[in-house]
Amino acid sequence: MNIVLMGYMGSGKSLIGRDLAKKIKLDYLDLDDYIENQEKKSIENIFKDKGEIYFRKKESKYLNEVLNTYNDAVISLGGGTPCFAGNLEIIQEKENTKSIYLRTSLDELTKRLFKERAKRPLITHLSTEDELKDFIRKHVFERSFYYNQADYKIATDLKNADQITKEVISLLF
């Protein structure tokens, strides 16, 4: 079975994905890392050099590639992956795939992302926590329609990675 983790940037998809894969002895794949390896360029530079539309097309291509190549893996998506190019439908159509939405509150996302915004192409231009919070609020509102179609939803606030990983395992096995 493939386990696909989705949620807004900063929700812990990569951290939980690595932990989960180790505990259940599956391969781990971060879609953003996969894209960077295939494109031989960072996500930040793909956005800068070719724009978001180019990135979203490549993201969809590589998501398809990954889901058709791996059968037993934990896969962390980018925050926008399920919201573009029919990607959610691609995930839902795969019989051997379960999706999990890591739901994180607006305040928690703002706190986490403000510290690391320089590494996040979509939010590098935001200079205050209030601007960031407004940006996240808008995005989460737009994307929640897609995230909420995941097979399972897990609230992540006030839980550490181990607690979240155990919750995922209990849902799936």
Side-chain angles (χ1 to χ4, degrees):
M1 164 175 40
N2 283 329
I3 301 164
V4 174
L5 301 177
M6 63 176 73
Y8 198 70
M9 66 177 137
S11 63
K13 299 177 300 289
S14 298
L15 177 67
I16 302 305
R18 282 190 296 273
D19 192 41
L20 177 63
K22 184 190 286 183
K23 285 189 171 135
I24 60 176
K25 297 177 178 28
L26 291 181
D27 290 331
Y28 172 70
L29 187 113
D30 183 298
L31 186 61
D32 283 349
D33 291 345
Y34 187 84
I35 293 167
E36 288 180 341
N37 287 333
Q38 296 302 310
E39 293 290 305
K40 312 247 184 295
K41 198 178 266 202
S42 71
I43 300 293
E44 182 180 1
N45 284 331
I46 295 170
F47 266 74
K48 201 182 300 176
D49 298 343
K50 305 244 179 151
E52 186 175 4
I53 292 170
Y54 174 89
F55 172 77
R56 296 298 178 194
K57 286 180 182 176
K58 290 298 183 176
E59 179 181 53
S60 186
K61 173 190 176 209
Y62 294 128
L63 173 64
N64 260 309
E65 199 171 283
V66 164
L67 291 176
N68 288 324
T69 303
Y70 288 83
N71 292 315
D72 287 306
V74 176
I75 302 164
S76 297
L77 303 180
T81 305
C83 311
F84 295 95
N87 292 335
L88 181 63
E89 290 79 14
I90 292 166
I91 295 162
Q92 291 171 327
E93 288 170 2
K94 293 290 178 189
E95 288 184 27
N96 70 327
T97 300
K98 293 293 179 191
S99 57
I100 298 167
Y101 169 28
L102 299 179
R103 188 176 58 236
T104 308
S105 72
L106 177 62
D107 287 338
E108 185 63 27
L109 288 170
T110 303
K111 185 172 81 176
R112 291 178 190 176
L113 290 171
F114 191 73
K115 292 181 246 175
E116 56 185 60
R117 69 190 184 286
K119 297 180 228 159
R120 308 275 189 167
L122 288 176
I123 60 172
T124 54
H125 66 286
L126 303 171
S127 55
T128 69
E129 283 190 48
D130 285 340
E131 287 177 330
L132 178 60
K133 191 176 223 174
D134 287 343
F135 183 89
I136 294 169
R137 181 183 292 113
K138 177 184 178 289
H139 262 181
V140 170
F141 175 76
E142 292 169 345
R143 294 176 176 189
S144 63
F145 170 79
Y146 300 96
Y147 295 155
N148 281 309
Q149 293 183 57
D151 296 312
Y152 303 99
K153 295 146 200 77
I154 295 177
T156 65
D157 286 15
L158 305 175
K159 296 176 189 170
N160 63 35
D162 190 54
Q163 291 169 313
I164 296 165
T165 300
K166 286 177 179 170
E167 191 171 341
V168 171
I169 292 169
S170 73
L171 285 171
L172 295 174
F173 302 103

